[in-house]
Amino acid sequence: GASSGIGAEIAKRFATEGYDLLLLGRDKVKLTQVQTECLNLNKNKTHQKIDFLAFDLATIHHYTDALKQKLASLSPPTVLINNAGLFHRGSLEETSDAVWNSQFQINLLSAVHLTQILWPFFKNNKKGAIVNISSTLGLKPTADTSAYSAIKAALINWTQSLAQEGGPHNIRANCICPGIVDTPLHPFHHLDADSKKRTLDQLSKYQLLSEIGKPQDIAEAAYFLASDRSRWTTGSILNVDGGIHIK
């Protein structure tokens, strides 16, 4: 999910620290743009490889070999960020099997498949950090978000199972639950300036900190949980949401 929004900011945060990156997403044009931005951010000016692969994660089985070939050209992988996601709002009666299936495929199963691909690398290197991006809706659902909220809850539960399985191999798994973040995932992101300001002012009333989150807020949390700064942290669920989950 590196082509825009939270995923793009996470990629840029790691690029700043000199990481090699393999960016995944559906939009080749946007991935190319993020790749260029990342290459210009390496503050250490060290040799750095940043590559991408454009495809729909719902079809990941068709790209397993291509993924492994891309990984082989980079430094041994130590971090996996599972950020790709689709949001859906609709009542129980409006939520079709197709919606449930798409939520399951993208918001959960794609993360499972990517982790299965990276897991042998992590085990061999005796080091790995997995950061799954869930949602506060996975902890505190609201009406008309049943499919999205249920799948995000499953992602949280799966993270903690991963942490237990990975511990003996020094593989850490943690989860971030963002609140309302200004990204293309939300319709208000695409409004004209005046309409967007009015909408954000209304949404800010639901936050203890009285403002909507920025993608950079999630990127900082992701870097912390993936880096050695959190070397003794696994199985954690970190709310980065302006306090909305307790308001």
Side-chain angles (χ1 to χ4, degrees), residues 10-232:
I10 290 174
K12 288 185 274 190
R13 181 66 182 88
F14 279 84
T16 300
E17 301 296 333
Y19 278 73
D20 284 357
L21 301 175
L22 177 57
L23 311 173
L24 306 181
R26 288 179 296 179
D27 192 319
K28 183 177 180 180
V29 173
K30 289 183 179 178
L31 285 174
T32 302
Q33 180 180 348
V34 174
Q35 179 192 41
T36 300
E37 292 173 356
C38 286
L39 285 169
N40 292 330
L41 285 171
N42 182 355
K43 67 182 182 182
N44 297 318
K45 304 303 179 185
T46 56
H47 180 65
Q48 185 178 33
K49 294 181 180 179
I50 298 178
D51 203 349
F52 68 84
L53 188 59
F55 67 99
D56 187 337
L57 281 167
T59 62
I60 190 172
H61 286 305
H62 300 300
Y63 292 89
T64 300
D65 290 340
L67 269 169
K68 291 180 178 179
Q69 290 174 7
K70 293 278 189 181
L71 288 169
S73 68
L74 304 173
S75 302
T78 59
V79 173
L80 170 62
I81 309 291
N82 287 311
N83 170 72
L86 296 173
F87 180 71
H88 176 265
R89 181 178 293 278
S91 69
L92 175 67
E93 295 172 308
E94 295 168 336
T95 306
S96 64
D97 285 354
V99 170
W100 276 96
N101 286 331
S102 65
Q103 290 290 307
F104 176 71
Q105 288 286 338
I106 300 300
N107 292 350
L108 179 63
L109 201 56
S110 68
V112 173
H113 290 326
L114 283 172
T115 303
Q116 287 173 330
I117 292 170
L118 271 291
W119 198 261
F121 291 97
F122 294 160
K123 285 181 69 174
N124 289 337
N125 295 332
K126 293 183 170 53
K127 182 177 183 180
I130 300 160
V131 180
N132 294 322
I133 310 298
S134 181
S135 169
T136 52
L137 289 173
L139 296 168
K140 185 182 178 181
T142 62
D144 299 330
T145 65
S146 57
Y148 181 83
S149 296
I151 299 302
K152 288 296 190 178
L155 185 63
I156 293 168
N157 188 281
W158 177 65
T159 300
Q160 295 186 320
S161 179
L162 270 184
Q164 294 180 11
E165 188 171 344
H169 308 287
N170 196 33
I171 302 173
R172 301 184 298 111
N174 294 287
C175 189
I176 298 173
C177 290
I180 304 174
V181 180
D182 188 1
T183 73
L185 188 73
H186 297 290
F188 66 74
H189 179 81
H190 307 282
L191 295 173
D192 63 81
D194 289 340
S195 298
K196 183 174 181 179
K197 183 180 184 305
R198 286 194 297 270
T199 301
L200 293 184
D201 287 345
Q202 284 296 114
L203 291 172
S204 294
K205 296 177 182 178
Y206 297 102
Q207 323 296 318
L208 290 180
L209 298 181
S210 302
E211 65 175 307
I212 299 303
K214 298 179 175 60
Q216 293 88 341
D217 297 319
I218 312 304
E220 286 296 334
Y223 179 73
F224 168 73
L225 288 175
S227 71
D228 286 340
R229 295 179 183 182
S230 62
R231 55 171 293 278
W232 205 51

